[in-house]
Amino acid sequence: MRALLIAILSGTTVISAYADVKDIRVWQSPDSTRLVFDLSEPTEYRIFDLPNPYRIVIDLNDADMNKDPDQVDIHSTAVKSIRKGKRNGKDLRIVIDVNEALEPSSQILPPNDTYPNHRLVVDLKPKETAQVVAPIKRAESLDAVQRNIIIAIDAGHGGEDPGAIGHGRTKEKEVVLSIAKELQALLNDETGFQPFMVRTGDYYIGLRERTEKARKANADFFVSIHADAFKIPQASGSSVFILSDRGESSETARWLADKENKSDLIGGLSLEGREDHLAMTLLDLSMTHKRDASARAGRSILSQMGAITKLHKPGVEEAAFVVLKAPDIPALLVETGFISNPGEAKKLADRNFQKRMAKAIFTGIKQYFETYPPTGTLLAAKRNAASQFVSYTIRPGDTLSELASRSGMDIQELRQLNGLSSDQLKIGQRIKIPSS
């Protein structure tokens, strides 16, 4: 027997004499497997793992299972099967057969607005895991030595945390993942950019883990995509947020930030007792540079979004979103609309609108990095190369061959530089020639 853990459900001092497991959900991510057990009442439990064959055992005091474990969807997960049995005549034993040696960790969550039952959350992770960093794809032109700009795309919520649920039961987690995938495709097709998807499927990732994944992927920029709700259905419009070091800039921003930060409680990770992570926000110099860059990128994206939909506010807003708190990566949180607004919920669920929103975010990102490319990237090399040329106005008597000779270029190179299909020039036409 290994990794013995004994726990009592938090949030109450009363332990039920009898509890039912009402439902079981299994979520698979690339890094872990999460099982969620809905309980009718709080109860004591213990959890441990056993080898040969690999399995995880959960004992719940004075409990029974209403859910048929054979009906639990475990397809494409690390779970092979879930079995149940009685222990000491009254306790429930749940045996989770798994494909490999997995380390269990667990915590319990009280009911909330999304889930009315107490929940036992069990995370299973490989015992020996090497941290995998996303590969950096190199550019294939301009000497093929300049790296691509890596954009971390974070689709908010996921798995056990559906995010906001709007008109027609539209789920935020599904809308934003669809937009994120459209953005990924656009960046994949654009020379000089490399997307990194923080969340690739329907599973939950903790807020600080999202930024850590982006940092491990060497991301140059982090964009978190959401479609949130407000307490009144009339709230509407898209927004772009950067991290605030002075508090939130509006009542709506305060409400949204509080709701996003609490999503860790929905997803199963408590934010309490993590003061070491808060130290990141004290890196003033790095944060100041990051916030300035984030604001510039935010204005670029907001301008593009304003061309396709209503904006909630005309400028970039500020809020204390936990997901934006990495000190060294420019980061934005994009609210694509209010899913609590029936009209916007309908638009957000529309595939064509999702594509247009992704294109607006993409264009804003591209425009920003074309103006402020990081050193050592393909876009920086292109910008430097472009600065070596000046604009020249064609005068009477000018010929392409003469201008090429005068510039020290081959005529074919000069034609290609200016996208000319022939050697014919017109008086007053402007072309690029070397600056010296």
Side-chain angles (χ1 to χ4, degrees):
M1 182 183 296
R2 297 179 296 170
L4 179 63
L5 173 65
I6 300 178
I8 298 177
L9 281 175
S10 63
T12 180
T13 57
V14 178
I15 302 302
S16 172
Y18 196 83
D20 290 329
V21 176
K22 302 176 68 175
D23 198 8
I24 305 173
R25 295 178 296 281
V26 183
W27 307 94
Q28 184 67 46
S29 79
D31 305 319
S32 65
T33 307
R34 168 164 289 182
L35 295 96
V36 181
F37 300 85
D38 286 343
L39 304 175
S40 62
E41 301 290 342
T43 187
E44 292 182 347
Y45 76 97
R46 67 172 184 166
I47 182 170
F48 54 92
D49 64 312
L50 294 172
N52 302 321
Y54 299 122
R55 57 204 186 278
I56 308 297
V57 179
I58 305 172
D59 288 333
L60 294 97
N61 288 7
D62 295 328
D64 203 352
M65 183 179 288
N66 292 345
K67 177 76 174 184
D68 181 356
D70 290 335
Q71 300 301 313
V72 179
D73 184 6
I74 58 174
H75 179 69
S76 299
T77 73
V79 176
K80 294 170 60 178
S81 66
I82 301 175
R83 297 177 281 128
K84 68 174 182 176
K86 276 295 182 179
R87 184 174 172 273
N88 300 329
K90 63 175 183 177
D91 297 340
L92 173 66
R93 168 160 287 187
I94 302 173
V95 179
I96 305 165
D97 297 301
V98 293
N99 295 313
E100 59 181 312
L102 298 174
E103 188 79 40
S105 62
S106 64
Q107 56 185 311
I108 27 57
L109 299 173
N112 58 38
D113 292 340
T114 305
Y115 297 102
N117 297 300
H118 294 272
R119 287 170 295 146
L120 168 61
V121 178
V122 178
D123 285 316
L124 306 178
K125 296 185 178 181
K127 289 182 176 292
E128 297 179 1
T129 57
Q131 294 182 345
V132 178
V133 176
I136 300 177
K137 189 170 69 177
R138 299 290 174 176
E140 298 177 356
S141 59
L142 231 61
D143 297 332
V145 296
Q146 306 298 335
R147 69 172 182 85
N148 288 341
I149 295 172
I150 300 175
I151 307 297
I153 308 170
D154 172 43
H157 307 279
E160 185 70 1
D161 174 17
I165 299 177
H167 183 74
R169 304 299 297 171
T170 304
K171 294 181 181 178
E172 179 183 2
K173 68 174 183 178
E174 296 172 354
V175 168
V176 298
L177 183 59
S178 180
I179 294 173
K181 288 181 176 179
E182 294 290 346
L183 178 58
Q184 178 191 26
L186 290 169
L187 288 166
N188 263 328
D189 290 341
E190 184 68 23
T191 301
F193 287 92
Q194 169 68 36
F196 169 73
M197 291 288 283
V198 174
R199 175 168 77 89
T200 59
D202 189 14
Y203 51 86
Y204 182 80
I205 302 175
L207 298 180
R208 288 188 175 87
E209 187 181 354
R210 293 170 189 258
T211 56
E212 282 304 306
K213 283 180 172 289
R215 297 180 74 216
K216 290 173 183 176
N218 300 310
D220 298 282
F221 188 76
F222 178 93
V223 56
S224 188
I225 302 175
H226 292 257
D228 223 307
F230 195 53
K231 55 191 175 185
I232 56 174
Q234 290 80 10
S236 64
S238 300
S239 305
V240 174
F241 290 87
I242 63 171
L243 180 65
S244 170
D245 60 355
R246 302 180 305 276
E248 301 81 353
S249 60
S250 69
E251 181 182 357
T252 302
R254 285 193 296 272
W255 194 88
L256 291 176
D258 183 60
K259 185 173 184 297
E260 292 300 334
N261 295 344
K262 286 181 178 177
S263 71
D264 261 5
L265 299 179
I266 295 177
L269 294 173
S270 174
L271 297 180
E272 296 180 2
R274 301 200 176 202
E275 290 81 4
D276 54 329
H277 290 281
L278 298 180
M280 291 193 302
T281 63
L282 302 178
L283 302 177
D284 291 337
L285 292 177
S286 177
M287 293 294 285
T288 298
H289 169 75
K290 169 197 152 176
R291 289 184 74 253
D292 289 345
S294 300
R296 287 193 293 267
R299 288 190 290 269
S300 180
I301 292 175
L302 198 66
S303 174
Q304 295 298 320
M305 291 169 61
I308 67 165
T309 189
K310 174 186 174 183
L311 298 180
H312 184 66
K313 292 288 180 64
V316 175
E317 298 190 70
E318 301 180 1
F321 291 112
V322 171
V323 77
L324 300 181
K325 288 189 175 181
D328 51 354
I329 306 175
L332 296 172
L333 188 143
V334 175
E335 293 286 2
T336 54
F338 282 86
I339 208 166
S340 53
N341 181 300
E344 292 201 349
K346 184 177 180 179
K347 284 201 306 182
L348 289 166
D350 181 72
R351 186 66 180 273
N352 288 330
F353 182 79
Q354 292 171 359
K355 290 182 176 181
R356 292 170 64 201
M357 180 59 68
K359 184 64 177 293
I361 298 171
F362 162 76
T363 304
I365 291 173
K366 179 184 175 185
Q367 288 180 349
Y368 167 75
F369 279 106
E370 286 177 342
T371 306
Y372 303 99
T375 302
T377 61
L378 175 61
L379 262 64
K382 283 185 173 181
R383 185 175 175 83
N384 292 337
S387 66
Q388 299 174 12
F389 296 92
V390 295
S391 178
Y392 177 80
T393 302
I394 300 300
R395 303 169 184 173
D398 284 339
T399 64
L400 195 66
S401 60
E402 180 184 357
L403 289 173
S405 177
R406 190 192 311 167
S407 303
M409 297 183 69
D410 180 87
I411 189 171
Q412 179 64 27
E413 292 177 334
L414 188 58
R415 187 188 299 124
Q416 185 175 0
L417 174 65
N418 288 279
L420 301 174
S421 58
S422 70
D423 294 346
Q424 294 183 351
L425 299 173
K426 296 180 180 179
I427 297 174
Q429 180 180 355
R430 301 180 69 86
I431 66 170
K432 290 185 290 185
I433 62 173
S435 57
S436 60

